């Protein structure tokens, strides 16, 4: 299992670019978005800023409880932005690192769609609908 968790993650997912000094947090470009990766306290942590519009927090928070049942990523607020994060043990094997990355990317897509919906008039959700 050579290398640190970030190096192993990059190798596991076949990230095409070489990263300098992966002992530091790095930024990956994934589907036109930035995914931040760092190793801290024995964990590898992925995060993605969803929006800097903090007024959307109550809307997104309404989805958070239901999403906790479906995914490991967590919605958070900090540094004047709303972001998503997910972690795994830094000593996770290649398979677990690939799963971490894939599930996080799927979660980012779902949450990004909710942020994007906010700008459209069809984004209103009936009170009779149970949110995921």
């Amino acid at each position: 299992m050579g290398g640190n968790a970030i190096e192993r993650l990059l190798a596991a997912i076949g990230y095409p670019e070489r990263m300098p000094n992966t002992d530091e947090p790095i930024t990956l470009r994934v589907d036109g978005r930035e995914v931040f990766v760092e190793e801290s306290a024995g964990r590898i942590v992925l995060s993605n800023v969803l929006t800097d519009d903090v007024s959307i927090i109550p809307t997104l928070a309404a989805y958070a409880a239901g999403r906790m049942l479906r995914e490991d990523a967590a919605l958070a607020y900090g540094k004047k932005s709303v972001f998503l994060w997910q972690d795994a043990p830094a000593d996770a094997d290649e398979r677990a690192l690939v799963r971490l990355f894939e599930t996080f990317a799927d979660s980012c897509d779902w949450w990004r769609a909710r942020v994007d919906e906010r700008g459209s008039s069809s984004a209103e959700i009936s009170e009779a609908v149970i949110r995921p």
Side-chain angles (χ1 to χ4, degrees):
M1 235 201 279
N4 69 26
I6 295 173
E7 290 170 341
R8 289 184 299 102
L9 172 71
L10 296 177
I13 65 172
Y15 193 72
E17 297 176 29
R18 296 196 54 69
M19 292 287 140
N21 190 3
T22 56
D23 290 334
E24 298 296 320
I26 63 167
T27 303
L28 305 178
R29 296 292 297 166
V30 180
D31 296 333
R33 297 187 205 124
E34 293 181 334
V35 173
F36 305 100
V37 183
E38 67 180 308
E39 188 173 351
S40 176
R43 308 290 292 176
I44 184 166
V45 182
L46 307 180
S47 62
N48 174 252
V49 174
L50 297 172
T51 183
D52 293 330
D53 179 6
V54 295
S55 69
I56 197 173
I57 292 172
T59 302
L60 295 179
Y63 294 109
R67 292 306 292 180
M68 286 178 4
L69 301 173
R70 298 183 51 99
E71 63 189 24
D72 293 327
L75 183 68
Y77 164 74
K79 297 183 183 179
K80 299 184 181 182
S81 65
V82 180
F83 64 97
L84 198 62
W85 70 273
Q86 185 173 338
D87 69 350
D91 62 354
D93 64 19
E94 179 179 332
R95 188 174 179 186
L97 292 173
V98 169
R99 179 161 162 60
L100 167 71
F101 187 80
E102 288 174 346
T103 60
F104 184 71
D106 290 344
S107 295
C108 288
D109 290 344
W110 191 90
W111 284 100
R112 176 69 56 193
R114 303 298 76 78
V115 170
D116 293 346
E117 281 177 356
R118 186 165 187 259
S120 71
S121 60
S122 63
E124 291 300 314
I125 297 175
S126 166
E127 291 299 320
V129 173
I130 297 175
R131 296 178 179 162

